[in-house]
Amino acid sequence: FKKVERVVCVGAGYVGGPTCAMIAHKCPGITVTVVDMNAAKIDEWNSDKLPIFEHGLDEIVFAARGKNLFFSSDIPKAIREADLIFISVNTPTKTYGRGKGMAPDLKYVESVARTIAQYAGGPKIVVEKSTVPVKAAESIGCILRDAQKNCPELKFQVLSNPEFLAEGTAMRDLANPDRVLIGGESSPEGALAVEALVTVYENWVPRERIITTNTWSSELSKLVANAFLAQRISSINAISAVCEATGADVSEVAHAVGCDTRIGNKFLKASVGFGGSCFQKDVLSLVYLCESLNLQKVADYWHGVIEINDWQRRRFADKIIAELFNTVTDKKIAVFGFAFKKDTGDTRESSAIHVSKHLMEEHARLAIYDPKVPKSQVLYELGLQTSPADVEKLVTVYNDPYEAAKDAHAIVVLTEWDEFTTFDFSRIHASMRHPAAIFDGRLILDQKALREIGFRTFAIGSAPDQAYNLFGTSGY
Ligand code: NAI
């Protein structure tokens, strides 16, 4: 394999776009082309308004685009010219057939492998960046080897290079990764291909942070990393229920527990549950893998992480209904935040969708405000969960949080956007129906200050406010 001078990434999504922008930014000697079958998305990448929001992404794309960073719909040409090809397409949970609701759907990955086999024309390093189950590289390799039979000048090496960026901090994570993981074959050709990719990352990542392993360890490590992260959230969320029932405070418990350096204090914040396109999908993928390997105990263990997450969302919605005097029918409820986390416009698997759905089933009227999620996306997500008629009847999307809260019986915080902490809650309280309640599903608001204004407050993982109860209002 020659020195990598031309990189192509198939899949211009949340991973492909930012990752390639960073490679182009850090490696002026490499030409990077991002391709996608969705031509409209490519047009957006070539426009002034990029299809995804990440802090720092616009600057890097606008500076490199047209120099050594290109977005194109001509997939065959890009593949023909590339030395190294990232496969960065989506691998969603299957919605049909065998493994429905559990296994990742690998049809997009396979389709890219076939396209590479068809158009390669010469030697290529093919890199799985998509998150895939263990042994996916074998399937890709099998398709590529078959093409080699008819065309001896073709030569392929398949590497695993899973991506660990987190949406919301993608550019920071890419610029300064905890580690880069590259898995490959142990053969001399495999080692050369691994070294070629190492050389790309070495342009900005210190060598000691680039880990090289065998292919299967690399594929499995990505699933395990997401499973451990999701497990931390489900663990603290499980404890949040114990706190609410006992008078302990989950933030205090998390702090005390996290001070133990063996445990660590990151990713220990209780909430209304994790969302995003990856955690649930990847834990389910691990569970499915374990079931396929007849490791039912292991599968059950990890499935518990998902069960707690679903339960936490339901529990939070039930709490809202119970505390609004057991009925939300026809009540206006302001929902602050719809993205699955702050600093992204991504709503895939957002807890807000699930809580909203539960409230809509009780015929609440939702007034939704999110600083980054467009109205069409909110309506689309909720339409998938309920019916377009229900969405039409029960959901209004606002551009102004004060308008969303006006005449509402309650505010429900479902994303931890920083701006929510800066709102004038006295003004909001005055405009609401009374008694006005706030349900903080992200632990970002100052409960005491809100109570002083006159709100009834409920936060995940803290017990009923005793002082407040003395005055005879409902139990918080
Ligand atoms: P995405 O859905 O944002 O983007 C995938 C893109 O691939 C889409 O634009 C789609 O049109 C394109 N595509 C699908 N099949 C194609 C084909 N045959 N030819 C050309 N283009 C095709 O997905 P996202 O979020 O970028 O994820 C990609 C992979 O990275 C997934 O496996 C995911 O699990 C993984 N990942 C995602 C992270 C995230 O934060 N979103 C983080 C780490 C890994």
Side-chain angles (χ1 to χ4, degrees):
F1 293 103
K2 68 194 233 327
K3 184 167 172 278
V4 175
E5 285 168 352
R6 287 183 170 271
V7 165
V8 161
C9 175
V10 186
Y14 285 89
V15 167
T19 306
C20 285
M22 188 56 71
I23 294 174
H25 174 61
K26 297 287 189 183
C27 313
I30 296 180
T31 302
V32 183
T33 305
V34 188
V35 295
D36 202 290
M37 65 181 181
N38 180 341
K41 198 180 260 190
I42 290 297
D43 288 345
E44 285 183 75
W45 279 109
N46 280 320
S47 76
D48 291 342
K49 185 159 184 338
L50 303 184
I52 64 173
F53 166 76
E54 279 293 339
H55 282 303
L57 176 65
D58 286 16
E59 291 86 323
I60 287 185
V61 170
F62 297 154
R65 203 170 55 190
K67 297 192 179 101
N68 69 331
L69 175 64
F70 300 90
F71 296 91
S72 164
S73 297
D74 192 343
I75 300 176
K77 176 171 182 280
I79 286 176
R80 237 182 343 260
E81 292 175 355
D83 306 315
L84 182 146
I85 303 165
F86 286 111
I87 302 178
S88 186
V89 297
N90 36 332
T91 48
T93 304
K94 274 186 86 178
T95 53
Y96 57 90
R98 223 179 74 181
K100 177 180 173 181
M102 298 290 289
D105 196 338
L106 295 176
K107 68 179 175 189
Y108 305 105
V109 172
E110 176 170 336
S111 143
V112 176
R114 290 182 186 279
T115 310
I116 294 171
Q118 187 178 356
Y119 295 108
K124 310 282 167 197
I125 298 172
V126 177
V127 185
E128 287 174 346
K129 186 149 277 295
S130 296
T131 304
V132 288
V134 186
K135 297 274 170 166
E138 199 161 85
S139 315
I140 297 172
C142 186
I143 290 167
L144 298 177
R145 275 194 304 277
D146 197 65
Q148 269 171 305
K149 280 190 207 152
N150 311 321
C151 186
E153 60 274 22
L154 288 183
K155 204 167 74 168
F156 296 108
Q157 273 295 319
V158 182
L159 303 179
S160 160
N161 172 220
E163 184 49 60
F164 293 100
L165 69 79
E167 283 177 37
T169 52
M171 302 318 283
R172 214 169 65 203
D173 298 341
L174 286 165
N176 189 23
D178 288 342
R179 81 309 212 177
V180 166
L181 178 57
I182 302 172
E185 280 181 20
S186 53
S187 62
E189 299 80 32
L192 282 177
V194 169
E195 208 40 48
L197 184 55
V198 167
T199 311
V200 173
Y201 282 109
E202 265 184 333
N203 280 290
W204 78 99
V205 181
R207 185 65 182 83
E208 63 276 12
R209 282 202 232 155
I210 304 176
I211 304 171
T212 56
T213 64
N214 79 37
T215 314
W216 322 130
S217 301
S218 172
E219 289 176 333
L220 182 60
S221 296
K222 174 63 193 178
L223 295 185
V224 173
N226 272 354
F228 271 56
L229 290 168
Q231 181 216 44
R232 297 263 297 186
I233 298 178
S234 280
S235 296
I236 198 68
N237 281 345
I239 298 305
S240 75
V242 181
C243 291
E244 287 163 34
T246 57
D249 181 304
V250 77
S251 301
E252 291 177 353
V253 173
H255 176 67
V257 170
C259 280
D260 186 326
T261 51
R262 292 170 304 174
I263 297 171
N265 59 8
K266 290 188 183 152
F267 242 68
L268 262 191
K269 188 157 186 185
S271 70
V272 64
F274 57 76
S277 65
C278 292
F279 281 0
Q280 175 164 311
K281 158 175 89 70
D282 294 347
V283 175
L284 289 173
S285 173
L286 181 63
V287 170
Y288 188 73
L289 176 74
C290 295
E291 284 179 353
S292 316
L293 298 169
N294 283 324
L295 299 169
Q296 194 58 46
K297 263 272 180 252
V298 187
D300 292 344
Y301 174 75
W302 287 108
H303 199 257
V305 169
I306 302 293
E307 287 166 11
I308 288 285
N309 201 49
D310 292 342
W311 177 75
Q312 182 79 343
R313 290 163 167 173
R314 174 98 243 177
R315 206 171 71 78
F316 189 65
D318 286 346
K319 185 78 184 167
I320 295 167
I321 296 159
E323 298 298 352
L324 293 180
F325 317 111
N326 285 313
T327 175
V328 291
T329 305
D330 211 28
K331 285 181 179 165
K332 181 179 178 183
I333 297 182
V335 171
F336 282 5
F338 203 77
F340 85 92
K341 68 195 287 203
K342 73 173 181 179
D343 296 338
T344 177
D346 194 354
T347 54
R348 291 177 291 180
E349 281 301 326
S350 176
S351 287
I353 298 171
H354 297 271
V355 174
S356 297
K357 176 180 175 239
H358 294 320
L359 295 175
M360 286 169 72
E361 283 164 356
E362 291 292 326
H363 299 181
R365 287 185 294 117
L366 302 184
I368 299 175
Y369 167 75
D370 187 286
K372 278 281 176 237
V373 180
K375 177 178 172 181
S376 56
Q377 201 175 326
V378 173
L379 301 182
Y380 169 77
E381 290 280 20
L382 291 177
L384 292 178
Q385 296 290 328
T386 57
S387 70
D390 279 346
V391 173
E392 167 93 36
K393 196 166 69 192
L394 297 173
V395 179
T396 313
V397 179
Y398 287 81
N399 292 324
D400 176 354
Y402 294 92
E403 281 302 311
K406 192 168 166 226
D407 293 325
H409 290 255
I411 294 168
V412 178
V413 177
L414 295 178
T415 312
E416 70 280 22
W417 285 104
D418 291 341
E419 69 165 56
F420 296 168
T421 63
T422 67
F423 290 168
D424 179 348
F425 280 101
S426 298
R427 179 181 154 199
I428 287 175
H429 183 263
S431 75
M432 290 175 66
R433 301 288 296 270
H434 293 162
I438 290 197
F439 298 85
D440 186 353
R442 294 285 168 185
L443 300 186
I444 54 167
L445 300 179
D446 180 343
Q447 304 295 311
K448 187 162 170 285
L450 292 171
R451 281 196 295 271
E452 278 165 16
I453 290 170
F455 279 106
R456 305 164 67 212
T457 65
F458 171 78
I460 294 241
S462 51
D465 183 68
Q466 298 305 322
Y468 194 71
N469 283 346
L470 288 178
F471 294 98
T473 39
S474 77
Y476 282 87

